[in-house]
Amino acid sequence: MQRRIISQFSYSKRVHCQLSPIFFFASRRTLTLGGEGVDDPLYADVPRPCRRKSERKPYPTPMKILIRRAKEEKEARKAQPSRVLEDPPDNGLLVPELIGVAHQVYQAQQSLLLGLRKLIDVIPVQRCRFCFEVHIGHMGHEIRTCTGPKSGFRSSKHVWRKGRVEDAVYFPKCFHLCDRVGKPRVVHDERFNIKRIPAILELCIQAGVDLEKYPTKRRARPVYCIEGRIVDFEPETEKDEMRRNVEASDLGTKTEEMERNSNSHNPSHFLTHSNNGEEKSLKELSTTTLESWFEMISGAKKIMEKYSVKTCGYCPEVQVGPKGHKVRMCKASKHQSRNGLHAWQEATIDDLVGPNYVWHVQDQNRPALDNSLKRYYGKAPAVVELCVQGGASIPDQYRSMMRLDVVPPDRDEVDLVA
């Protein structure tokens, strides 16, 4: 009798060992279909947050290439300790072909903010009271993704309130540099004496936009690099001052011309009541706002190819310039080992302009988005979702992310779906 029980037990153990890998692969495949895996090739562009706060942001440029560049620069300094920097903007001069792009980005950013302020009055923006979740529409979704305080008592449900323009698009701020080459760093004791402005605005100023509120130094001659240090031998004479004034006046005339040209594309132009009704003006405003968004993003990418932008690898802090600042204000992971300093690395366009991805709503007349159907919903930047709901055409680069080819079932049909 004991031998029979032992044989049956060993047989059941072998069967369980044979079936466990099958269950493992089945469960993994189910998680992938549910939107929690990373192996689904169809919707790999759907943004996913970091799993752990201790993880560092990925490097845009591989580490091997960065090490190779550092070695080449070190060898070049040894071979020629004193040299004149020839390539702008490292030598303190402006890049001529990017001055017009900087003005376009500045005008597009102002046009985008003006258009968003008008669209929010018609299409409301919902913001969670306890976390950073944003939703576009008259009612918030029911997807349980809240990570704010006491979210466990609410079953991770969001508590919605009315949002603002800053919730739709986020422009992180950085320190304004009056001399990006002569004094590229801001120390900790200067943190209250130097203004903080949006990073996209600082990028435009360094690329050639002149604003009276934020003065910056413009050079007419390149700087020298002596043993890795930047030295400026440009004399402060009356001729150089007159030359800078002439350049500033030329840039001012260019700005006035671009403002006149942009008035025809100003979103406020479409807010006038016409005989065709309010719906047409709303559609035109949404289209113009979306065009301003893409113009700002594409122009900022071109400028970032020449003008360096740094971001912290653990927090959203951004600094426009050749080096990051030394203000001890980082509170992210491992900040104790860095004495509060940021772990600077190369920034991307998402660090410069926060897109703030939201759930895409295909039909406004249907009920709110259900938590059990979240694997069928797509995402899009809040600006794109707001303009699409206002009547603008869906951009081609976001069609896969928004999952337009997926038809979500009803709530009573969830159990019938394989």
Side-chain angles (χ1 to χ4, degrees):
M1 187 68 180
Q2 293 180 353
R3 294 179 180 177
R4 185 179 300 176
I5 293 174
I6 293 173
S7 61
Q8 291 179 358
F9 176 77
S10 62
Y11 175 76
S12 63
K13 187 175 181 179
R14 290 196 302 270
V15 171
H16 179 267
C17 294
Q18 292 176 0
L19 292 178
S20 57
I22 300 175
F23 175 78
F24 171 76
F25 287 112
S27 62
R28 183 181 180 183
R29 184 163 53 249
T30 304
L31 289 175
T32 303
L33 290 174
E36 300 295 335
V38 295
D39 299 332
D40 193 353
L42 295 178
Y43 305 106
D45 52 354
V46 176
R48 303 178 187 276
C50 297
R51 295 184 178 181
R52 294 178 298 177
K53 294 183 179 180
S54 60
E55 290 183 359
R56 183 164 183 162
K57 298 177 184 177
Y59 290 94
T61 305
M63 182 58 66
K64 293 183 179 180
I65 299 179
L66 296 177
I67 295 174
R68 185 180 62 190
R69 291 178 183 175
K71 291 182 179 180
E72 292 176 355
E73 292 177 359
K74 186 177 181 180
E75 293 176 357
R77 287 197 301 266
K78 289 183 178 180
Q80 192 176 3
S82 178
R83 57 192 175 93
V84 179
L85 298 179
E86 299 178 356
D87 299 331
D90 296 336
N91 57 2
L93 304 180
L94 297 177
V95 182
E97 58 270 15
L98 293 181
I99 297 177
V101 179
H103 285 84
Q104 293 177 2
V105 172
Y106 176 70
Q107 295 296 333
Q109 193 249 357
Q110 300 297 322
S111 177
L112 173 66
L113 293 177
L114 181 59
L116 290 178
R117 293 190 187 98
K118 302 300 181 181
L119 286 175
I120 286 179
D121 296 337
V122 182
I123 305 173
V125 175
Q126 307 292 335
R127 164 73 184 273
C128 182
R129 292 180 180 269
F130 302 100
C131 69
F132 299 101
E133 183 75 11
V134 178
H135 186 70
I136 308 298
H138 294 276
M139 63 176 65
H141 61 73
E142 299 179 359
I143 300 176
R144 303 177 182 179
T145 55
C146 184
T147 57
K150 298 182 181 180
S151 59
F153 295 98
R154 303 188 307 272
S155 300
S156 299
K157 292 183 179 179
H158 296 281
V159 180
W160 300 106
R161 63 173 176 83
K162 186 177 180 181
R164 300 176 298 177
V165 177
E166 292 79 8
D167 300 325
V169 58
Y170 174 64
F171 294 104
K173 292 185 177 182
C174 68
F175 290 100
H176 172 58
L177 301 180
C178 296
D179 189 359
R180 66 177 305 274
V181 176
K183 194 177 184 303
R185 284 187 183 273
V186 178
V187 296
H188 185 73
D189 296 335
E190 299 175 347
R191 63 189 184 278
F192 298 118
N193 300 329
I194 299 179
K195 297 181 180 179
R196 288 178 63 88
I197 61 177
I200 186 72
L201 179 59
E202 176 66 17
L203 183 65
C204 296
I205 292 175
Q206 293 188 12
V209 176
D210 287 334
L211 300 177
E212 296 181 359
K213 295 182 180 179
Y214 311 109
T216 183
K217 186 175 181 179
R218 305 294 186 191
R219 288 180 170 82
R221 300 177 183 178
V223 297
Y224 286 78
C225 179
I226 300 177
E227 296 182 354
R229 295 184 178 182
I230 302 298
V231 181
D232 189 5
F233 293 105
E234 184 178 7
E236 294 292 339
T237 59
E238 296 180 359
K239 294 182 179 180
D240 294 333
E241 291 179 0
M242 292 176 58
R243 186 181 303 174
R244 284 194 293 271
N245 294 332
V246 171
E247 291 178 357
S249 62
D250 293 340
L251 293 175
T253 54
K254 291 182 181 179
T255 306
E256 293 177 359
E257 292 178 357
M258 296 192 67
E259 287 180 355
R260 294 173 184 174
N261 296 331
S262 63
N263 286 333
S264 58
H265 301 284
N266 200 330
S268 60
H269 175 72
F270 300 103
L271 295 177
T272 57
H273 296 281
S274 58
N275 298 328
N276 296 332
E278 187 178 357
E279 183 179 358
K280 183 178 180 180
S281 62
L282 177 63
K283 183 177 180 180
E284 292 178 354
L285 174 61
S286 302
T287 304
T288 308
T289 305
L290 190 60
E291 291 177 355
S292 301
W293 164 263
F294 285 113
E295 183 179 0
M296 181 189 67
I297 295 298
S298 60
K301 288 181 179 179
K302 293 180 181 179
I303 299 177
M304 290 176 67
E305 293 177 359
K306 293 292 185 178
Y307 293 85
S308 61
V309 182
K310 305 296 182 180
T311 183
C312 181
Y314 298 97
C315 73
E317 181 70 15
V318 177
Q319 180 60 44
V320 180
K323 299 178 182 179
H325 61 76
K326 289 188 176 182
V327 180
R328 297 188 295 270
M329 54 186 298
C330 185
K331 298 180 181 180
S333 176
K334 303 177 183 178
H335 68 91
Q336 297 90 350
S337 61
R338 302 188 304 271
N339 195 17
L341 295 176
H342 294 282
W344 297 109
Q345 64 182 45
E346 183 183 358
T348 60
I349 188 63
D350 291 339
D351 300 320
L352 187 68
V353 181
N356 205 350
Y357 293 94
V358 298
W359 295 98
H360 172 58
V361 181
Q362 297 185 7
D363 190 1
Q364 297 292 333
N365 298 324
R366 299 189 64 178
L369 302 181
D370 188 44
N371 184 61
S372 60
L373 302 176
K374 64 180 180 180
R375 59 179 177 176
Y376 302 101
Y377 302 139
K379 285 189 174 184
V383 176
V384 178
E385 178 69 15
L386 185 64
C387 296
V388 168
Q389 292 189 18
S393 58
I394 300 177
D396 295 335
Q397 56 266 40
Y398 291 108
R399 287 185 174 272
S400 175
M401 185 184 298
M402 299 169 75
R403 298 192 178 183
L404 300 178
D405 55 342
V406 178
V407 180
D410 296 333
R411 296 185 180 182
D412 55 349
E413 299 175 351
V414 179
D415 297 336
L416 302 178
V417 179

